[in-house]
Every structure is written in C-alpha cells, then in structure tokens.
Amino acid sequence: MKKTLLGVRALMSVPKDNPDLVKAQYIALSRQLPMMYFILLINTLMLAGTHFTVAPRWLVVYCPMIMTLFGLVRGVEWIRTRRRVRSPAQMVMALKRTNTLAPFVAVAFTAWSLALFPYGDSYTQAHVAFYMAITVIGCIFCMMHLLPAALATTAVVNTAFVVFFASTSIITFIATALDVLLVSIAMLVILKAQYTDFTRLVNMQAQTARLSEENLQLANLDSLTGLANRRQFFSRLDTLLPHAGEQDTRLAVGLIDLDGFKPVNDLYGHSVGDRLLYQVGQRLTEMLDQGVHLSRLGGDEFGLIITQALDDEQLRAFGEKLCTRMREPFVLVDIPIQISASLGIATFPDQASSATQAYEYADYALYQSKRHRPGTACLFSAAHRQQLNRQGLTEQALRRADLDREFHMVFQPIVDVRSERTVAFEALARWESPELGNVPPSDFIPIAERIGMVNRLTLPLLTKALDTAASWPAGMRLSFNLSTHDCGSEEAAQQIVELIKSSRFDPTCLDLEITETAAIQDLPQAQRAISRLRELGCGISLDDFGTGYSSLSQIHALSLTKLKVDRSFVTGIQLNPASLKIVKSLIALCQDMQLECIVEGVETAAELSTLKTLGCTWAQGYLFSKPMRPNAIGAWLEAEQLARVQAI
Ligand code: C2E
Ligand code: CA
Ligand code: CA
C-alpha cells in the first residue's frame, strides 16, 4: 500500500532528482504545448463564433479575448524555450508551473463552455459537448509527457462533463456523457502506460550514456597504474600536436623505459613487479607539472607529452631531474628496490613534424640513452636525425642486397697466450654495398635484426664461414656470431642445425657466440636452441660478457663452454684497478665453472702482460691481428709455425 502510494506520488510530481527525465519532459512539452494552445484557441474561437449571436457579449467576446491572450502568452513562451538553453532548475520550475496552471486553465475553459450551454439551440448545445470532449482529448495527448497536468485536466474537464451532461435528462447527452466516461477511463489507462514507458526509455538512454562514458574512461586508462594508457597517449598527442602547431609553441614527447625492471620481476615475482610499476607511476605523477601528460604505454614503458617545452637546456634539466629521482630506491613492503629510468625526448616542430615522427624520434633518443648511458635522458638532435637517415638508407640497401655477392667473412685469430698459437678464428661479417660502400656489422646487424632479416643473413654467412674453415688444419676452431633472433625461434635454430650438419666442417670444432641479451630475452627458447647445438658437439660462447644484466644462475642454466670477456674491461687494464678486479674474478669464475675464458680486444703488449699475470689463457685482439680475408689465413698460420720453429 505504502509502495503504491509512493509510486503514485512519483508519477504525480516533477522528478527533480532525475535531471535526464526532466530534460526529456521539457523538450517534449516545448514541442507539444504550443500545438495544444493552438488547438485550444481555435476551437474556443469557433465555439464563441457559433454562439456569437445568441450568447451575451461578455461570454462570446470578452471571455474568449482573455482566454486567447492567456493562450498566446503561454504558447509563445513555450515556443521560445526551444531556442534557449535552460538550467535543470529552470526546467523543473517550468514543469511545476505547468502542473499548477493546468487545473485552473481546465476549470476556466470548462466553466466558460458550460456557461454557453443554455444559449442557442440543440446544435449549439451539441457543439459545446463536442468542443469539450474533443478539445480535452487533444490537450491530454499534448500533455502526455507531464502526467500531473494531463491527469488534472482529464479529472476537471471530464468529471464536469459527465456530471453536467448526465444531469441534463436529455438522452443524447446522457449517452454522450457515458461515452466520454468510458473514453476517459481508457485514456487514463493509456496515459499511465505511456508515461511509464516514456520514463523507462529516458532512464535507459541515460544509463546507456553513462555506461558508454564509463567504457570510454576504462578504454583510456591503464588498470594497473590508473594512468592514461597507450591509446589515450596517442589520441592526446594527435590533438595536442596540431594545437601546438597553431599556437606556434614547442611540444616535446618523452619516452621512459625502466632499467633493471625485468630482473626485479623475475626475482621477486609479478606482484612485486606490478607494485613497483604502480609506485613508479605515483612518483612520476608527483613530480610532473600541470602541462605534462603522463601515460603508461605498456610493460615498463611510460610516455610524456610536455606541452610547454621551452628550450633544450630546460628539457635536459627536466630529464636529468626525472632520472635522478627515479634512481632513489622504491620501498615495496620491506624490500628497498633500486632501478633507474632512461628517457628519450623529441621536440615538435623543430625536430619532428608529426605525431608519428615525434614518437619515433623520442624512441630513437631513448634507444641511444639505453645503449650508451642507461639511466639518463637523451634529447633527440640533428645528429640523431642524420644517423636515422643513414639507417634508413642502410635498411633500404640491405633489403635490396644480393647477400651472396655483397657479403663476405673475415677471420680474426684467437690465440693461446701461453703457447702463442692460434687456436681458433672468429668469423666476422663484412658488407660491401654497391650503393653505400663498406658498412660495418655494428650498423647492419642491428638493422637486420630490427627488420627481421637477420636469419636470412645468418645462413649465407655461416655457409661461407664453414666453407672457409673446412680447408683449415685439423683441430683449428671456428667461432661464429649468432644474433638474438637466431636462437629466438625454433625454426631459425633448426635451419642453423641443418646447415651445420650438412657442412664439411667438424661441428665439434665450431663455437657459436651468443650475447647475454639474446639468451635472457627468452631463456627457455635459448636453452632449447643451445642444447640442439650442443648435441651436434658445438661449443657455445657467451659474447661481450659483463655488459648485460645476466645473473650467474642464468648463465649456469645455459650450458656454455666459453666466456668472452668484453673489450671494455681490457682497454688500459694495467692502469685500471676496477677493470683488473673484474677480469680477475671473471677468469676465476670461468675456472670454477670449467669454462674456457677468451679475453677480447687486446691491443697492447702491456694489456697482454697484465692479462697473463691474471691467468688469462686465450686472447683476441689487434695486438695479434686484425680480422683477415680467408686467403690470408694460410700465410698467417705458416708465419706462426715458422716463428715457432725459429724460436726452437
Ligand atoms: P664482436 O662479436 O664482439 O666482435 C668483435 C669485434 O671487435 C669485431 O668488430 C672485431 O673486429 C673487433 N675487434 C677485435 N679485436 C679488436 C681490438 O683489439 N680492438 C678493437 N677496437 N676492436 C677489436 P666487427 O667485426 O666490427 O664486429 C662488430 C660486431 O658485429 C661483433 O662484435 C658482432 O657482435 C657483430 N657481428 C660481426 N659479424 C657478425 C656476424 O656474422 N653475425 C652476427 N650476428 N653478428 C656479427
Ligand atoms: Ca663475437
Ligand atoms: Ca665480443
């Protein structure tokens, strides 16, 4: 009962707490009420007209005049609402006013029409009845979206009609009264149903709009950090960039990549990794100004859009501040974790000229900082653009290159420093491009890796190296560099295995060099590839050791046979106690793990003698020889033999 009463109350009042419904009602009424007043006035004037000669002047002239004036004012008022923007409160007021006015208007018009009834003949009386019955139906339809007004009008007019005409004792009018009574009941039922449907529809529309707004929010947010996501980053960039172009202001795009995040994730698990990312997001948010938009682009990569990028110096200072702040330890529960962040920044419009370019340039600057000075900021410069252009040219030439004709291998001896004998040669690729001239491998290998061409390159290179090595004296070893992608897929590894199997060179004299990054990127896959190569009897050397992030446990998991100590520890080792310590411990580590240790990049006799005191056995470097053409190898070995004979 209480519920029904509440329901009736809800139907009979303006829904103040539902602004969407108020608005929908208001819009519907602003369309329909002018029409209602038009019908009402025309019908009224016609009724006054049919009674003009028979009824008193005040009834057929003055009353209709007042009613017309009132109707015109209200009608025009509603027409004008269509062109104005109203606040929700104003709309509620307008609806309430209509609700209040409706019964009074109904009483006035009913009283006036009934007052005309006694005048004239049966025709004019029938006109009164018809006027009331039909006009009220028209009005109710027009007020359908404002239930209280519609119901009040029905109640007033139809009650008066039924009571009045039923009491006339004229059978036609009594029948009409009955008709109108039935129609009124039907109309009430339909009105209520219509209004309920209307309310439901409006509510549903509002809910759909809210949901799609929520979805839009979700689609643009990163759920882990609560920051804007990659999608929003790019859509923001797409809107902010043209804006900066129009305003003639400088905008910068920054890309942040965390250094050392992966080991944290591997060591402490994903939940700690996730918490760390969250804290990184918080820390960055705290330190950024209003004009800098932060997003998480995915993984451990964050993006910045700096809308007030002033000059290069300020950007560099900003970058350094950010990187310094990121080096401070993060406290996760009770484990303080130290990582760092590398940042690449590119500016618009002086460097980049589009959103895509700004992103690409920032990415390039990030790559430079990661490669050369991890944990620092790098600003994309004109020199970088030249490098990029050159890389573009190299990429084009590489795609077109005739791999068999343009590439060849050179070989650098690896020497046993105790016996001063060459024990192996490392094969190194050389590219003589007809368009670009000699391109060093440090340029073309990373590009070949990036464009997914390196497997196609490895096979002809390995074929050439194995062909050359097949003619070497028995027992002479060959070292061949594999790229990250060569171990990264089952198919690529399989092709390499097949090639080695079908070659004339003894696989037990072949060493394949892999880098830490290659091994760690996909450890299980690297393990699989390595074990297939080991089954053939090949050795596996870990190249450039000491420059990556690998841990001892990971190295242990790889079933290596050799370790190559990177040149950076060797240069000037006799003068550098830190390098000395590192190389000493690396040599000790190799002995412990029963791995052969090769020290790379020996350039001076002083370096070699220091290395000898540390127990170094195998070494490689310009001191012994630069890489040589295959046809020079015979002479090299003969000279070595000769020197030994002379020494005896
Ligand atoms: P890496 O494997 O560390 O090769 C050693 C590099 O150091 C070679 O440069 C070699 O010429 C150079 N080098 C040797 N001794 C000395 C020295 O005493 N001083 C100095 N300053 N440098 C020395 P290169 O031939 O330019 O090769 C560069 C890198 O390119 C290689 O580094 C290797 O990572 C990659 N690479 C070369 N050939 C191939 C290949 O066939 N396949 C793949 N995947 N990578 C290759
Ligand atoms: Ca190598
Ligand atoms: Ca190396």
Side-chain angles (χ1 to χ4, degrees):
M1 180 69 186
K2 205 174 158 194
K3 216 171 143 190
T4 327
L5 274 176
L6 280 176
V8 171
R9 235 180 111 173
L11 284 176
M12 292 306 290
S13 56
V14 175
K16 289 192 290 288
D17 44 359
N18 188 345
D20 295 312
L21 185 56
V22 168
K23 190 173 171 195
Q25 286 181 318
Y26 186 79
I27 292 174
L29 291 179
S30 68
R31 265 197 310 262
Q32 293 158 7
L33 288 195
M35 200 157 64
M36 180 192 86
Y37 281 112
F38 178 75
I39 297 171
L40 184 62
L41 293 186
I42 296 295
N43 286 2
T44 302
L45 291 176
M46 287 200 291
L47 188 66
T50 55
H51 287 76
F52 194 72
T53 50
V54 291
R57 192 152 273 261
W58 66 274
L59 264 181
V60 288
V61 179
Y62 303 127
C63 282
M65 263 168 67
I66 296 168
M67 286 147 79
T68 308
L69 203 65
F70 168 81
L72 276 176
V73 170
R74 293 288 297 152
V76 169
E77 211 172 290
W78 276 105
I79 289 175
R80 285 195 359 221
T81 57
R82 290 187 212 165
R83 274 182 247 125
R84 285 204 207 130
V85 181
R86 296 290 175 122
S87 70
Q90 284 173 320
M91 291 194 249
V92 170
M93 279 298 294
L95 297 187
K96 276 189 172 169
R97 198 177 315 128
T98 308
N99 275 345
T100 319
L101 278 177
F104 293 106
V105 177
V107 167
F109 278 76
T110 309
W112 172 76
S113 48
L114 290 179
L116 285 174
F117 189 77
Y119 305 100
D121 53 15
S122 338
Y123 287 121
T124 51
Q125 284 181 336
H127 191 183
V128 171
F130 183 77
Y131 163 82
M132 286 178 74
I134 203 73
T135 309
V136 80
I137 291 175
C139 292
I140 287 163
F141 269 116
C142 292
M143 286 191 290
M144 195 156 71
H145 297 101
L146 191 63
L147 203 58
L151 289 182
T153 309
T154 319
V156 170
V157 181
N158 289 357
T159 312
F161 187 98
V162 172
V163 172
F164 183 87
F165 286 100
S167 61
T168 51
S169 66
I170 301 168
I171 190 77
T172 320
F173 286 135
I174 295 172
T176 314
L178 265 174
D179 276 356
V180 169
L181 182 68
L182 288 177
V183 172
S184 304
I185 294 167
M187 258 183 348
L188 285 176
V189 173
I190 293 169
L191 255 182
K192 163 136 190 330
Q194 280 294 324
Y195 185 75
T196 314
D197 284 352
F198 171 71
T199 315
R200 199 182 301 135
L201 192 74
V202 171
N203 287 341
M204 256 161 57
Q205 274 173 349
Q207 201 181 359
T208 315
R210 261 194 305 279
L211 278 177
S212 71
E213 175 68 19
E214 264 173 38
N215 280 341
L216 200 70
Q217 282 269 329
L218 281 178
N220 284 306
L221 281 188
D222 170 54
S223 56
L224 180 66
T225 56
L227 300 175
N229 62 9
R230 190 180 184 86
R231 185 188 154 116
Q232 202 180 347
F233 173 82
F234 285 106
S235 73
R236 253 190 205 153
L237 194 58
D238 282 340
T239 45
L240 289 174
L241 212 83
H243 191 248
E246 281 159 22
Q247 307 278 306
D248 214 14
T249 52
R250 207 168 180 231
L251 182 142
V253 172
L255 295 181
I256 301 172
D257 192 285
L258 304 181
D259 312 299
F261 174 74
K262 198 171 180 303
V264 171
N265 219 15
D266 291 346
L267 206 62
Y268 299 109
H270 286 276
S271 82
V272 172
D274 285 354
R275 286 218 299 279
L276 179 58
L277 287 174
Y278 177 78
Q279 286 202 12
V280 168
Q282 292 287 306
R283 192 179 280 187
L284 286 170
T285 312
E286 275 164 27
M287 68 169 301
L288 296 177
D289 295 335
Q290 277 256 303
V292 184
H293 300 278
L294 172 69
S295 315
R296 177 171 170 235
L297 302 180
D300 58 351
E301 203 175 78
F302 294 82
L304 301 174
I305 303 173
I306 307 164
T307 49
Q308 280 127 29
L310 302 165
D311 57 41
D312 284 2
E313 268 326 297
Q314 281 165 318
L315 277 176
R316 272 198 201 98
F318 163 81
E320 285 314 320
K321 195 175 126 204
L322 188 147
C323 293
T324 311
R325 182 90 177 85
M326 295 307 286
R327 277 195 289 272
E328 289 168 23
F330 287 88
V331 182
L332 296 164
V333 199
D334 46 22
I335 332 162
I337 285 176
Q338 185 152 20
I339 52 164
S340 64
S342 302
L343 169 64
I345 304 176
T347 50
F348 168 92
D350 50 328
Q351 294 292 355
S353 57
S354 68
T356 327
Q357 214 170 41
Y359 179 80
E360 273 172 18
Y361 286 1
D363 195 38
Y364 189 76
L366 171 66
Y367 173 75
Q368 294 302 320
S369 96
K370 273 208 110 63
R371 190 162 169 195
H372 301 295
R373 289 180 64 213
T376 62
C378 172
L379 192 62
F380 188 86
S381 66
H384 288 137
R385 199 162 43 195
Q386 271 177 358
Q387 280 173 21
L388 257 181
N389 287 345
R390 253 190 49 153
Q391 282 185 14
L393 291 178
T394 312
E395 184 183 323
Q396 292 306 315
L398 191 60
R399 286 185 193 275
R400 283 195 296 266
D402 177 341
L403 302 184
D404 265 330
R405 220 162 41 83
E406 294 175 31
F407 285 81
H408 69 266
M409 300 306 280
V410 290
F411 297 86
Q412 188 178 31
I414 297 173
V415 177
D416 183 332
V417 296
R418 295 160 303 183
S419 61
E420 293 184 2
R421 272 178 148 196
T422 300
V423 284
F425 285 92
E426 177 176 0
L428 296 158
R430 295 292 176 261
W431 178 22
E432 281 171 43
S433 158
E435 300 159 49
L436 305 171
N438 286 336
V439 185
S442 49
D443 284 358
F444 68 78
I445 297 285
I447 294 176
E449 282 178 351
R450 185 164 49 77
I451 63 176
M453 222 188 112
V454 81
N455 302 129
R456 254 180 58 212
L457 195 59
T458 298
L459 296 176
L461 295 181
L462 182 57
T463 311
K464 281 176 201 258
L466 289 170
D467 276 356
T468 305
S471 62
W472 291 347
M476 183 62 68
R477 302 189 68 83
L478 168 70
S479 231
F480 183 85
N481 293 286
L482 288 184
S483 110
T484 318
H485 297 251
D486 290 322
C487 300
S489 88
E490 198 60 46
E491 199 190 336
Q494 177 62 26
Q495 285 174 328
I496 291 169
V497 167
E498 293 301 328
L499 204 151
I500 296 170
K501 270 194 194 159
S502 65
S503 119
R504 289 178 295 128
F505 187 72
D506 176 6
T508 60
C509 288
L510 176 64
D511 292 311
L512 294 153
E513 298 192 8
I514 57 165
T515 58
E516 291 170 71
T517 21
I520 288 165
Q521 256 172 25
D522 185 353
L523 196 63
Q525 172 54 36
Q527 274 175 319
R528 273 198 297 277
I530 287 172
S531 68
R532 311 252 329 249
L533 292 163
R534 294 277 279 132
E535 278 163 21
L536 291 180
C538 302
I540 305 291
S541 309
L542 192 64
D543 203 358
D544 305 339
F545 187 66
T547 54
Y549 283 104
S550 49
S551 67
L552 273 181
S553 65
Q554 285 166 323
I555 292 168
H556 204 68
L558 282 175
S559 97
L560 301 168
T561 55
K562 294 181 184 62
L563 249 167
K564 294 188 81 172
V565 178
D566 191 66
R567 176 157 60 87
S568 53
F569 303 109
V570 178
T571 312
I573 187 170
Q574 70 283 7
L575 308 169
N576 186 337
S579 296
L580 197 98
K581 262 193 192 154
I582 294 173
V583 175
K584 192 175 169 183
S585 55
L586 288 180
I587 290 173
L589 175 78
C590 287
Q591 274 163 1
D592 270 3
M593 293 174 76
Q594 292 176 331
L595 301 177
E596 204 74 61
C597 182
I598 303 168
V599 181
E600 294 185 295
V602 185
E603 287 183 354
T604 66
E607 287 166 1
L608 180 62
S609 71
T610 310
L611 288 166
K612 274 183 177 167
T613 62
L614 297 179
C616 159
T617 50
W618 288 12
Q620 179 183 358
Y622 291 170
L623 176 68
F624 308 104
S625 168
K626 289 206 164 178
M628 58 184 90
R629 288 270 187 169
N631 55 15
I633 291 175
W636 166 264
L637 291 176
E638 268 168 33
E640 203 178 67
Q641 182 96 29
L642 199 67
R644 230 186 345 268
V645 171
Q646 279 168 357
I648 298 167

